[in-house]
Amino acid sequence: MPRFSIIVPCFQVQGFLRECLDSVLGQSFRDIEVIAVDDCSPDGSGAILDEYAARDARVRVLHLPENAGLGRARNAGAERATGDFLFFLDSDDTLTPGALRAMADRLAETDDPDVLVFDYARTYWWGGTRRNALARVLAEAGGAGTFTAAERPEILDLLMVVWNKLYRRDFVDKHGFAFPPGYYEDTPWTFPVLLTADRIAALDRICLNYRQRRQGSILSTTSRKHFDIHDQYERVFAYLDDRPDLASWRPYLHRKAGEHCLDILAKPDRVPPADKAEFFRRTAELFAAHRPAGAPVPDGLRVLEGGYAAYALRRQAARARREAVRRARQVRRVAARRAKDGWGALHARRPQAEDLVLYSAFSHRGVLGDPAAVYRRAREIAPQLRGVWVVRDPERARRAGLLPPGTEYVVPGGPRFRELAARAAYFVNNVNWPDVPGKRPGSVHIQTHQGTPLKYMGADLLGKPGARHGVDVPGMLRRADRWDHSLVANRHSELVWERAYPCRFGSARTGSPRNDVLVGAAPDAGAAVRARLGVPADHTVVLYAPTRREYRRGGHVERFDPARLAADLGEGHTLVVRLHPSLAAGPARGLGLAELHRRGVLVDATDEPYVEDVLLAADVLVTDYSALMFDYANLDRPIVVHADDFDAYTASRGVYFDVRAEPPGHVARSYRELAWLLASGTWRDAESARLRAAFRARFCEFDDGWAAERVVRTLLLGERDWTPPASAPATARTAPGGGAQVPAQASGHDRLAPS
């Protein structure tokens, strides 16, 4: 008996079917049966199913003699299922890598609940990806064991579809759940199932990509079939009538029915225009017939107590109000821009504040990166300088640990910001200053950058249309014209910045300030971070830090299943994953990291505020093309490059050198090679050390542990001839997260035993 019976109904999906089946059959979890139902499809879907069944014994094909519709096709598949759990997968959707394993693990963890609800992401025909907007519901429920809908009613706010859940087959058989004919067949299945289930579990992981087709979706077809929604809710209310114990849910379902029907009516591509009045009347009749005695009518549904003409007028008035709001907002923007220019000119006539340094990092996220290292050092050795941070969302920055207590800050765009921006003598940033007025004579702009560049930047992006999508390169260069000093850690960066930003700045060979804590780090420098992350003291820490891809909209491409890597590493190892900052809030976080972190399979360190802390905690870095490799090389600890898509990455983004030919350590061109390098111990052999030494000599040339102080003394205080005192330790610095001081090198946890 297989663990999962995956039922895939097929009708006119030949263009998507192979991708769907490949995503299922290629899963690492293999204890499945696939029951593919050819719903008398007129295209080549049936032949494709037969082809897959001939290749893989787990696939069984059922050819229906006539078209039965989606619901009945699902029923036909379910009748032949033998698995513990039923999974109804639409044939144009796909599973994410590792999804079935994550589901199986969660079922085992919760002792086989009646229903398992998991997360999904919408994937659009133009390449975009958007995570379920209510993912927080699964995150909150995922930390618990099992529950009922009454205990967590917010579970019913999720999309009421069949394909984002698993169902225990005995539970389905016991209650006789089945799909009715017609459109919206998920409605009379999902509500009864969830309200009846005694044990529901949640999985906070994106397991399915929900394809948003440009055309061809049944529900986006204009027809009278959308009237089926009324019959489907009649079935839901009939189920309640047969189950007095569920009577308390009637007000909720009454509201849902009204909202759902009005939503369908409001969409332009559903009900034919000539039938909209009839659809409204049928909705009003349904709403009145099932209204619970004495229940108040929600404000948004009172329109159903009137006629269609009043509804149409109300819709027209709402559109007019939205247009008025849009125009008023446009007028306010123009007025604000004029006021901003006037304020800037006013403050520019005031004396310059010679002691004022304005800091920003990563588009005003908080106290981060190289600017933060300069700021901290300036507070120690030049307290006469007033440092003010530009922070876009102070409350969010505080929650993330990016706005330490006592930090003076200003929010961009307001009068106070414009005053400081007009009068500051110094500007320190690692991105740019799009909101700052024109450069004032005598002010000094210091561009720290975000590390050593491997991928194309600035003007070099002009030849890479995909990479510069949404990037205003001419505008970027106009802002770069304000730079006076460009910080570099090596001659490679110096040459790249001069080419990528053909402006009038000078290169400052200071080193990277944020890397001061890495140069010569003590063996126990990462101990505090390890403890905070819950890593056992005797474990070897493998840090996996992938970068974003320009050849995939959204930037995330999962190169392998991190759970598999964590398992392959074996006992005595901890896998720490840190996503690129641009991916931190997108769907990538939902592809298993949150759930795997919760279960202790790996550590998700994406939200750790200071990347330097994470680097200090690691014994080996596994990355693809992330600039973190240049920073991590200062630790003189092993690096493994996973370059399985280098050609695609180079074609889309462009690189300044072939990291495979000049790597900081061994290079893996497939997951199999990567697993072997780590398991065999090759990652730390003599060749690895030789490659790392050459890489460090080239790219850590100016990093000596004094970069932040060098910037403060030479660029802010004007001590042009300053050099580090020969007698002082080169790296007497404190890590940003409060870690130990760092006067030595290497780590005591640099061994990966074969697993």
Side-chain angles (χ1 to χ4, degrees):
M1 179 185 297
R3 187 61 167 157
F4 299 142
S5 292
I6 303 176
I7 297 155
V8 186
C10 306
F11 183 78
Q12 289 189 329
V13 286
Q14 64 180 11
F16 308 109
L17 185 53
R18 292 182 187 277
E19 186 180 1
C20 172
L21 294 174
D22 289 342
S23 77
V24 174
L25 300 175
Q27 294 277 315
S28 59
F29 185 86
R30 299 183 59 79
D31 187 15
I32 63 173
E33 64 175 1
V34 177
I35 303 173
V37 183
D38 171 17
D39 191 17
C40 201
S41 183
D43 63 359
S45 295
I48 293 172
L49 295 178
D50 291 337
E51 173 193 329
Y52 273 79
R55 292 203 316 250
D56 195 317
R58 295 174 297 168
V59 180
R60 287 189 287 149
V61 181
L62 173 62
H63 294 282
L64 299 184
E66 58 184 22
N67 180 247
L70 183 56
R72 288 175 174 172
R74 286 172 175 163
N75 291 338
E79 289 169 2
R80 291 159 176 77
T82 62
D84 297 330
F85 282 84
L86 303 178
F87 178 14
F88 298 97
L89 176 64
D90 286 354
S91 48
D92 55 353
D93 295 337
T94 58
L95 297 185
T96 61
L100 294 183
R101 167 55 63 190
M103 295 178 193
D105 290 345
R106 183 60 174 154
L107 291 173
E109 187 180 33
T110 52
D111 193 23
D112 284 9
D114 298 328
V115 181
L116 175 68
V117 187
F118 53 82
D119 205 359
Y120 66 92
R122 296 175 188 264
T123 57
Y124 295 86
W125 59 268
W126 41 265
T129 301
R130 181 165 60 88
R131 188 177 186 180
N132 165 27
L134 293 177
R136 57 170 180 77
V137 173
L138 292 172
E140 293 163 2
T146 59
F147 52 89
T148 64
E151 291 168 337
R152 287 187 175 271
E154 63 272 18
I155 204 73
L156 298 177
D157 292 332
L158 297 172
L159 195 62
M160 283 292 101
V161 290
V162 66
W163 44 255
N164 63 349
K165 305 170 185 73
L166 293 182
Y167 312 88
R168 188 161 49 79
R169 188 163 59 89
D170 322 3
F171 166 71
V172 171
D173 291 345
K174 174 183 175 181
H175 294 280
F177 294 123
F179 293 95
Y183 279 20
Y184 305 101
E185 74 293 330
D186 288 7
T187 300
W189 167 283
T190 308
F191 280 121
V193 163
L194 288 178
L195 297 181
T196 305
D198 293 322
R199 300 176 64 248
I200 303 171
L203 174 60
D204 179 24
R205 185 195 197 278
I206 296 174
C207 294
L208 181 140
N209 289 320
Y210 175 30
R211 188 187 301 272
Q212 306 296 290
R213 291 162 67 172
R214 185 170 182 268
Q215 57 184 10
S217 171
I218 292 176
L219 292 184
S220 294
T221 303
T222 303
S223 79
R224 285 186 59 86
K225 290 291 289 180
H226 293 284
F227 279 77
D228 289 351
I229 188 62
H230 304 115
D231 293 336
Q232 305 298 19
Y233 272 104
E234 290 287 2
R235 293 183 172 98
V236 173
F237 289 120
Y239 186 82
L240 290 188
D241 293 339
D242 293 339
R243 293 287 301 269
D245 57 312
L246 299 180
S248 62
W249 286 103
R250 187 173 293 274
Y252 172 84
L253 290 171
H254 178 251
R255 176 173 60 83
K256 276 288 185 184
E259 291 173 347
H260 195 171
C261 292
L262 287 180
D263 182 63
I264 293 169
L265 181 60
K267 286 184 165 54
D269 57 352
R270 300 287 177 93
V271 180
D275 298 323
K276 284 182 178 290
E278 181 186 352
F279 187 95
F280 179 88
R281 178 180 56 78
R282 288 277 305 275
T283 299
E285 291 171 353
L286 173 77
F287 192 71
H290 296 285
R291 179 179 175 183
V297 177
D299 290 343
L301 297 178
R302 287 179 182 168
V303 66
L304 289 172
E305 297 180 319
Y308 177 71
Y311 165 80
L313 285 174
R314 184 172 177 175
R315 292 273 302 167
Q316 185 177 1
R319 285 194 295 269
R321 284 195 300 271
R322 287 195 297 271
E323 177 62 18
V325 168
R326 185 191 67 80
R327 291 186 177 182
R329 188 181 298 119
Q330 187 176 25
V331 169
R332 287 196 300 270
R333 278 199 299 265
V334 172
R337 191 179 306 117
R338 290 174 179 170
K340 174 181 173 182
D341 294 341
W343 271 85
L346 173 65
H347 289 300
R349 291 195 292 269
R350 297 178 60 187
Q352 190 172 57
E354 299 296 339
D355 63 342
L356 177 58
V357 186
L358 209 58
Y359 293 93
S360 179
F362 299 103
S363 301
H364 313 322
R365 278 179 54 209
V367 183
L368 282 166
D370 291 299
V374 173
Y375 168 75
R376 285 190 293 268
R377 196 59 181 151
R379 292 190 69 181
E380 295 172 10
I381 65 175
Q384 70 273 25
L385 294 177
R386 177 190 173 197
V388 180
W389 279 85
V390 182
V391 181
R392 190 172 301 282
D393 187 339
E395 188 54 40
R396 182 176 181 182
R398 286 193 192 94
R399 290 197 304 269
L402 303 180
L403 190 59
T407 303
E408 186 178 358
Y409 69 89
V410 63
V411 177
R416 183 64 174 155
F417 166 76
R418 291 194 291 271
E419 177 188 351
L420 295 179
R423 299 190 62 210
Y426 301 97
F427 295 79
V428 182
N429 200 341
N430 68 355
V431 182
N432 231 315
W433 295 99
D435 302 322
V436 168
K439 182 174 166 62
R440 177 172 179 158
S443 64
V444 175
H445 285 242
I446 299 172
Q447 172 60 240
T448 71
H449 303 288
Q450 297 177 36
T452 294
L454 170 63
K455 54 197 170 192
Y456 277 8
M457 305 291 286
D460 290 330
L461 294 176
L462 292 172
K464 298 291 180 181
R468 67 181 180 91
H469 179 74
V471 177
D472 179 9
V473 174
M476 183 188 299
L477 297 183
R478 284 193 298 272
R479 291 189 289 271
D481 283 333
R482 303 171 182 166
W483 301 353
D484 294 288
H485 305 289
S486 166
L487 306 191
V488 297
N490 48 66
R491 296 170 208 265
H492 162 79
S493 296
E494 188 171 81
L495 294 174
V496 165
W497 298 138
E498 289 182 6
R499 162 181 160 172
Y501 296 98
C503 306
R504 295 183 178 180
F505 58 83
S507 289
R509 296 180 174 182
T510 58
S512 294
R514 75 174 187 267
N515 287 343
D516 287 348
V517 298
L518 305 180
V519 178
D524 62 347
V529 186
R530 286 173 178 249
R532 186 169 74 247
L533 296 176
V535 177
D538 61 343
H539 270 214
T540 296
V541 175
V542 179
L543 171 60
Y544 175 50
T547 193
R548 66 178 288 117
R549 266 63 173 178
E550 271 70 24
Y551 62 77
R552 175 72 60 85
R553 187 179 291 269
H556 179 70
V557 178
E558 193 163 271
R559 307 310 307 166
F560 54 79
D561 182 1
R564 180 180 178 186
L565 177 60
D568 288 344
L569 290 175
E571 294 294 327
H573 307 87
T574 294
L575 176 64
V576 175
V577 179
R578 185 177 179 88
L579 295 177
H580 189 277
S582 66
L583 304 176
R589 293 296 288 282
L591 289 170
L593 284 188
E595 175 66 10
L596 295 173
H597 177 88
R598 185 190 66 78
R599 289 172 39 216
V601 174
L602 51 76
V603 173
D604 178 8
T606 304
D607 287 336
E608 278 293 306
Y610 298 105
V611 69
E612 304 95 305
D613 284 350
V614 181
L615 298 181
L616 285 168
D619 297 306
V620 54
L621 171 66
V622 177
T623 188
D624 35 41
Y625 323 112
S626 170
L628 286 182
M629 71 176 76
F630 301 100
D631 304 320
Y632 192 78
N634 281 288
L635 288 166
D636 197 19
R637 299 178 191 173
I639 302 172
V640 176
V641 175
H642 184 232
D644 65 332
D645 64 340
F646 186 75
D647 291 338
Y649 184 83
T650 302
S652 62
R653 179 62 192 249
V655 294
Y656 290 112
F657 68 95
D658 188 343
V659 71
R660 300 169 303 175
E662 304 173 80
H666 288 292
V667 178
R669 289 170 171 80
S670 66
Y671 176 76
R672 183 177 180 181
E673 286 186 23
L674 175 63
W676 177 83
L677 282 170
L678 296 174
S680 66
T682 304
W683 61 278
R684 57 182 177 88
D685 63 9
E687 177 64 6
S688 171
R690 184 190 70 79
L691 292 170
R692 187 167 68 254
F695 191 86
R696 291 181 69 225
R698 179 180 179 188
F699 295 110
C700 303
E701 182 180 6
F702 305 137
D703 281 330
D704 61 356
W706 290 97
E709 185 157 347
R710 187 175 286 111
V711 172
V712 174
R713 292 194 180 277
T714 63
L715 302 184
L716 299 183
L717 298 180
E719 302 175 15
R720 300 300 184 190
D721 298 327
W722 179 86
T723 57
S727 59
T731 53
R733 301 289 183 272
T734 301
Q741 291 198 333
V742 287
Q745 214 165 43
S747 167
H749 308 283
D750 59 350
R751 300 180 303 280
L752 268 176
S755 56

